[in-house]
Amino acid sequence: MPPAAGPLTGPEPAGPLTGLKVVDLATLFAGPLAATMLGDFGADVIKVEHPRRPDPSRGHGPAKDGVGLWWKLLGRNKRNLTLDLSAPGGRDVLLELAAGTDVIVENFRPGTLERWGLGPEELHAVNPRLVLARVTGFGQFGPYAHRPGFGTLAEAMSGFAAITGEPDGPPTLPPFGLADSIAALATAYAVMAALAGRERTGRGQVVDLAIIEPILTVLGPQPLWYDQLGYVQPRTGNRSRNNAPRNTYRTADGHWVAVSTSAQSVAERVMRLVGRPELIEEPWFAAGATRAEHGEELDAAVGHWISRHDRDEVLDAFEKAEAAVAPIHDVREVMEDPQYRALGTLTEVDDPELGPLRMQNVLFRLSGTPGAIRWAGRPHGADTEEILTGLGLTGARIAALRDQGAL
């Protein structure tokens, strides 16, 4: 039997996706996060997990009282169903579920669903309007399609790691799921595009999203630079080849701040603020690229001034000068920052297992149909009986499926 869980709590769905039915078959992390984003704005998301092998994200990172905290975030706004898709009974249940579903998100290796008799042909046979989002490391075809793929590989292969780090240091990977998170955003966007297409054609379609691709898009014009100029962007640490000063600087009281001068007017304000207005008159100061060639000199000027003032003094002076600066927060400071508080970026969710939880709120604010966190991630299989009963399965059939190991 599934573990005991409190009742589903939180506001009724009121977001723009209310009425949309989503089945999340994916794990670690892009696919599930895309499904979370859909659920945050009202979709009814059913998370399917193997009966004996729960989603690995339940065990990722720190836990409290044996309950994984990452799952509380990733599993929010999802009802939880256990189902062995490789078992005949499990396959049958999924097809019945798919018949009334708008979107399925999966990230098995290419060919796995087909091997189980759950490929696009079988799914569209029971529901021609279904959108099937397939999220894999390398896509559904090509020489790498069969390989296991994770965000780390995308961060390496896309060129992100090659340009990250100090010039004389090694390529640097991010200490969090960057490529997966970017792919999740792209997947949610792709699903909405496919649903919009369904409004015109009346038919669903397959979304083929490779995690190696969205991160390449957000890296900007690097392929274009190389194609047209043969230019390969080097590692520059915190500096930019496009403008200066742009770096992190330590304050007198031991904190760090970041300064950006992407706009010429801001660069001029910064140099006046730090007492070096004469640099503005230099011919090279008139453009970001030529300022970047003098990054050492500009960093020295800005860094010297900042090093003689406490952080609050620096932030106040920059704000009065209308120059761009931000404190470098760790998570403790993020939780207390007044701008995040004003936006409601972090919110409290009541959880029957752990009590009040503070986590990131929904991704953006809509004035008419806002999203909401209705509940945090629930126990493994907590909603299996409710979901299957709602699907029309009898108690006897549910019991038989349990005896077969399909649930």
Side-chain angles (χ1 to χ4, degrees), residues 315-400:
L315 297 177
D316 183 61
F318 268 72
E319 182 173 357
K320 288 177 179 176
E322 298 184 9
V325 70
I328 293 179
H329 284 335
D330 62 20
V331 69
R332 293 168 295 188
E333 294 164 311
V334 168
M335 302 290 276
E336 302 301 326
D337 187 277
Q339 183 62 30
Y340 282 133
R341 284 189 171 184
L343 294 172
T345 307
L346 296 158
T347 190
E348 188 172 282
V349 181
D350 189 40
D351 180 67
E353 289 186 285
L354 298 178
L357 305 173
R358 284 196 294 168
M359 64 175 66
Q360 297 95 319
N361 208 338
V362 300
L363 195 58
F364 45 83
R365 288 163 293 282
L366 296 178
S367 62
T369 54
I373 302 171
R374 303 186 295 280
W375 58 82
R378 291 174 52 77
H380 181 233
D383 308 293
T384 297
E385 299 281 344
E386 175 197 7
I387 293 168
L388 296 183
T389 301
L391 197 59
L393 274 66
T394 64
R397 185 177 172 195
I398 293 172

Side-chain angles (χ1 to χ4, degrees), residues 42-398:
D44 176 16
V45 181
I46 293 175
K47 171 68 179 181
V48 176
E49 298 177 78
H50 192 281
R52 293 163 295 281
R53 295 190 297 275
D55 190 300
S57 66
R58 291 183 180 272
H60 261 61
K64 179 182 178 183
D65 299 335
V67 179
L69 295 175
W70 203 331
W71 170 254
K72 288 296 178 184
L73 178 69
L74 192 64
R76 73 189 192 189
N77 290 337
K78 299 179 183 180
R79 296 189 289 154
N80 287 254
L81 167 70
T82 57
L83 199 61
D84 184 351
L85 302 181
S86 66
R91 172 190 180 272
D92 294 342
V93 171
L94 186 72
L95 287 174
E96 292 177 52
L97 196 60
T101 292
D102 296 290
V103 179
I104 290 178
V105 182
E106 66 98 0
N107 72 337
F108 298 104
R109 288 200 207 180
T112 301
L113 283 186
E114 286 83 351
R115 189 170 69 249
W116 293 338
L118 291 169
E121 289 188 7
E122 292 87 351
L123 292 171
H124 282 142
V126 299
N127 183 358
R129 289 174 56 82
L130 178 73
V131 171
L132 176 62
R134 316 193 78 172
V135 185
T136 56
F138 302 103
Q140 294 296 310
F141 57 91
Y144 303 164
H146 67 285
R147 296 181 182 179
F150 298 99
T152 297
L153 308 187
E155 289 146 11
M157 188 173 164
S158 64
F160 171 85
I163 65 169
T164 304
E166 295 300 321
D168 56 351
T172 302
L173 296 166
F176 66 100
L178 176 64
D180 276 303
S181 299
I182 296 170
L185 288 162
T187 300
Y189 170 51
V191 164
M192 299 312 299
L195 290 171
R198 188 178 74 174
E199 291 300 305
R200 296 199 310 275
T201 67
R203 299 188 63 84
Q205 59 186 294
V206 176
V207 172
D208 176 9
L209 190 136
I211 297 173
I212 59 172
E213 292 182 301
I215 188 171
L216 183 59
T217 295
V218 302
L219 283 171
Q222 291 188 52
L224 183 59
W225 285 341
Y226 180 73
D227 175 66
Q228 295 297 304
L229 303 172
Y231 175 73
V232 178
Q233 183 173 334
R235 288 191 290 282
T236 57
N238 291 323
R239 289 182 176 162
S240 168
R241 286 292 180 99
N242 301 312
N243 64 80
R246 190 261 198 184
N247 215 322
T248 60
Y249 307 92
R250 188 167 185 146
T251 63
D253 53 352
H255 294 286
W256 290 85
V257 297
V259 172
S260 176
T261 57
S262 297
Q264 180 68 24
S265 60
V266 173
E268 294 175 6
R269 291 172 198 152
V270 169
M271 301 321 297
R272 292 190 187 100
L273 171 63
V274 303
R276 297 296 303 276
E278 75 280 3
L279 293 176
I280 300 171
E281 305 305 319
E282 295 287 347
W284 49 261
F285 198 89
T290 48
R291 290 202 314 272
E293 295 172 1
H294 294 261
E296 288 280 356
E297 184 176 1
L298 294 171
D299 272 347
V302 175
H304 177 67
W305 185 89
I306 288 177
S307 71
R308 293 184 291 114
H309 297 81
D310 290 347
R311 181 177 65 176
D312 288 347
E313 295 173 334
V314 171
L315 297 177
D316 183 61
F318 268 72
E319 182 173 357
K320 288 177 179 176
E322 298 184 9
V325 70
I328 293 179
H329 284 335
D330 62 20
V331 69
R332 293 168 295 188
E333 294 164 311
V334 168
M335 302 290 276
E336 302 301 326
D337 187 277
Q339 183 62 30
Y340 282 133
R341 284 189 171 184
L343 294 172
T345 307
L346 296 158
T347 190
E348 188 172 282
V349 181
D350 189 40
D351 180 67
E353 289 186 285
L354 298 178
L357 305 173
R358 284 196 294 168
M359 64 175 66
Q360 297 95 319
N361 208 338
V362 300
L363 195 58
F364 45 83
R365 288 163 293 282
L366 296 178
S367 62
T369 54
I373 302 171
R374 303 186 295 280
W375 58 82
R378 291 174 52 77
H380 181 233
D383 308 293
T384 297
E385 299 281 344
E386 175 197 7
I387 293 168
L388 296 183
T389 301
L391 197 59
L393 274 66
T394 64
R397 185 177 172 195
I398 293 172

